[in-house]
Amino acid sequence: MSSAAIEATDRIPAAGERALVLGGGGSTGNAWLIGTIAGLFDGGLDPTLANLVIGTSAGSTAAAQIAGATPAELFAATLAAPSRQGARQQGPSQHRTTPGGTGNGRPPVSLVNEHMERTSKIIAAAADAADMRHRMGAAALELAAASGESVLARWRATVASRLPRQDWPQRTLLITAVNALNGQPVVFDRQSGVDLADAVAASCSSGFAYRIGDNSYIDGGYRRNENADLAAGYRRVLVLSPFGGRTRTPLDWGMQLAAQVDELRASGSTVVTIFPDSASEHMFGANAMDPSLRPPAARAGFEQGRALAGQLCEFWR
């Protein structure tokens, strides 16, 4: 298994028509993304026609999923098996002794709160984004060393089991991560020599560092929250952000979606963002790992997508 990857800071911006950006947001975020894509599709706009798809954290899962199944199939599956799929959306930060955290697939609230408290302290202590990535990587490596190989092996199997297909699509798909050893941003694609399941597992690794070959990786959201800036050079960029563009980091670090959108627009891109509506915001953030909220999150996304499709068809054509 190769550990090669594209360094995000060295990427030469591509040029193209349409880019789809799928941000992170935990279990409910993945469900909302699938629902929104299915709703847009149902309303006459096909997001899967994008020339470039960028996936981060839970968005990397959705990006890989839409490459192997239709939006309608994924939406139906999300509604049909909430407990099982909800457990599968948990990242390795929730895996202490068993793959599901608890018997019903719901991570104990104490583990979620512990993870948020731990990472918040790291962010507060960091001097800038690069320092934060170094600190996050070091902490994640310590957790990985303490957890043992079996936890990460189960996480890899869990990720692989929820991908409709295991091979990279022919269209351009970028999966973001951060190298835990040196804090450098990384972008995986089908030329990286890394299995798709490993790339997604790395991008979703918000707690333990996930090892691929000689390197270990943490969540792609530690590069930038949605990583929409990787769509530089594309004329039309559609961004789906389960966290509504919010950030836990200081604004002067430039991690937030608004900064990325400004950069894209300054370079000539037309950018449209879609966030969860106010009625569904409670399903994200602290509740993002609750599998019981996956079906309502997916339905909320579907209704939003279907309602917006007509307005956005001209933009996407």
Side-chain angles (χ1 to χ4, degrees):
M1 189 187 311
S2 172
S3 59
I6 304 171
E7 293 300 321
T9 50
D10 296 332
R11 259 192 108 249
I12 299 174
E17 286 295 320
R18 292 170 290 195
L20 175 65
V21 179
L22 304 178
S27 176
T28 57
N30 171 267
W32 179 83
L33 290 168
I34 293 300
T36 304
I37 291 168
L40 289 167
F41 185 86
D42 190 68
L45 185 155
D46 187 356
T48 69
L49 294 179
N51 308 105
L52 167 69
V53 180
I54 299 167
T56 295
S57 195
S60 73
T61 305
Q65 287 171 325
I66 64 172
T70 68
E73 290 170 337
L74 294 168
F75 180 59
T78 303
L79 298 182
S83 294
R84 176 175 58 84
Q85 291 191 5
R88 288 177 176 177
Q89 294 303 325
Q90 295 170 26
S93 63
Q94 311 304 335
H95 294 273
R96 287 303 184 86
T97 56
T98 61
T102 62
N104 64 2
R106 185 191 304 246
V109 173
S110 61
L111 289 184
V112 176
N113 290 341
E114 177 186 325
H115 172 70
M116 294 298 290
E117 181 179 354
R118 181 176 63 251
T119 53
S120 292
K121 288 180 179 178
I122 292 173
I123 293 170
D128 52 27
D131 185 34
M132 180 270 293
R133 294 185 195 108
H134 275 286
R135 291 169 181 262
M136 287 289 185
L141 288 167
E142 289 182 8
L143 285 174
S147 65
E149 293 294 319
S150 62
V151 169
L152 296 184
R154 289 198 299 270
W155 174 232
R156 202 272 184 195
T158 294
V159 170
S161 71
R162 54 185 163 93
L163 302 184
R165 51 188 297 176
Q166 302 299 307
D167 53 327
W168 287 87
Q170 287 303 303
R171 71 173 174 218
T172 305
L173 169 61
L174 303 181
I175 302 295
T176 65
V178 171
N179 189 315
L181 299 173
N182 58 24
Q184 290 298 307
V186 172
V187 181
F188 296 110
D189 69 1
R190 61 189 174 92
Q191 305 298 327
S192 299
V194 170
D195 289 347
L196 179 60
D198 283 312
V200 174
S203 187
C204 295
S205 189
S206 59
F208 297 115
Y210 181 78
R211 191 172 71 247
I212 304 176
D214 295 330
N215 286 315
S216 293
Y217 301 91
I218 57 174
D219 198 293
Y222 293 127
R223 177 191 178 270
R224 290 182 92 172
N225 289 8
E226 289 81 10
N227 294 297
D229 58 294
L230 292 174
Y234 282 76
R235 290 180 58 193
R236 288 161 286 179
V237 183
L238 178 60
V239 183
L240 276 56
S241 174
F243 282 153
R246 297 188 302 274
T247 182
R248 298 168 62 201
T249 59
L251 294 182
D252 60 5
W253 291 4
M255 300 274 286
Q256 68 274 18
L257 177 59
Q260 301 165 46
V261 170
D262 286 346
E263 292 167 16
L264 288 170
R265 289 174 175 161
S267 67
S269 298
T270 300
V271 185
V272 170
T273 59
I274 301 179
F275 304 152
D277 59 29
S278 58
S280 57
E281 286 180 344
H282 68 283
M283 293 185 283
F284 306 95
N287 294 319
M289 299 311 298
D290 185 344
S292 71
L293 293 177
R294 280 179 57 77
R299 284 191 289 268
F302 183 86
E303 293 304 322
Q304 277 189 264
R306 187 164 59 179
L308 290 169
Q311 304 172 36
L312 299 180
C313 277
E314 186 63 30
F315 155 75
W316 196 241
R317 285 196 183 101

